[in-house]
Amino acid sequence: VGALRFFPGEAFCRDLRVSGTEVFVNPMSDEEIREYAATGEPLDKAGAYGIQGRFAAYIERIDGDYYNVVGLPVSYVYRQLKEIAEKD
């Protein structure tokens, strides 16, 4: 997740905030890949997998925020917005 903060009339970004998560996937056979693709689950997912769905069986581990992978890391976003508000 990344966020930039711009202000009217300014040509540069004042804040850049980034939260990253690494997802480690166990090796999959061609058959496992075909079977997973055939479920249709990857069709509406960024990265073509859902860590919270059937693909969870193939996840070795993650380093970072689980909610960053699922969608929006709300706690991280809240902390960043709170910090920005306290500066202004």
Side-chain angles (χ1 to χ4, degrees), residues 28 32-42 48-50 54-55:
M28 296 172 68
E32 288 172 316
I33 294 168
R34 280 192 295 276
E35 287 175 356
Y36 178 67
T39 68
E41 184 177 277
Y49 72 93
R54 294 176 182 173
F55 197 78

Side-chain angles (χ1 to χ4, degrees), residues 2-4 18-20 24 27 32 34-36 43 45 47-49 55 59 61 63 73 77-79 84 87-88:
L4 298 174
V18 177
S19 173
F24 296 85
E32 288 172 316
R34 280 192 295 276
E35 287 175 356
Y36 178 67
L43 299 178
K45 308 284 188 290
Y49 72 93
F55 197 78
I59 303 296
R61 73 178 198 280
D63 288 344
V77 171
Y78 172 76
R79 288 190 321 270
I84 289 168
K87 282 185 191 177
D88 290 343

Side-chain angles (χ1 to χ4, degrees), residues 56-77:
Y58 303 108
I59 303 296
E60 177 186 337
R61 73 178 198 280
I62 66 168
D63 288 344
D65 189 339
Y66 171 82
Y67 293 103
N68 203 28
V69 180
V70 173
L72 181 68
V74 176
S75 176
Y76 174 79
V77 171

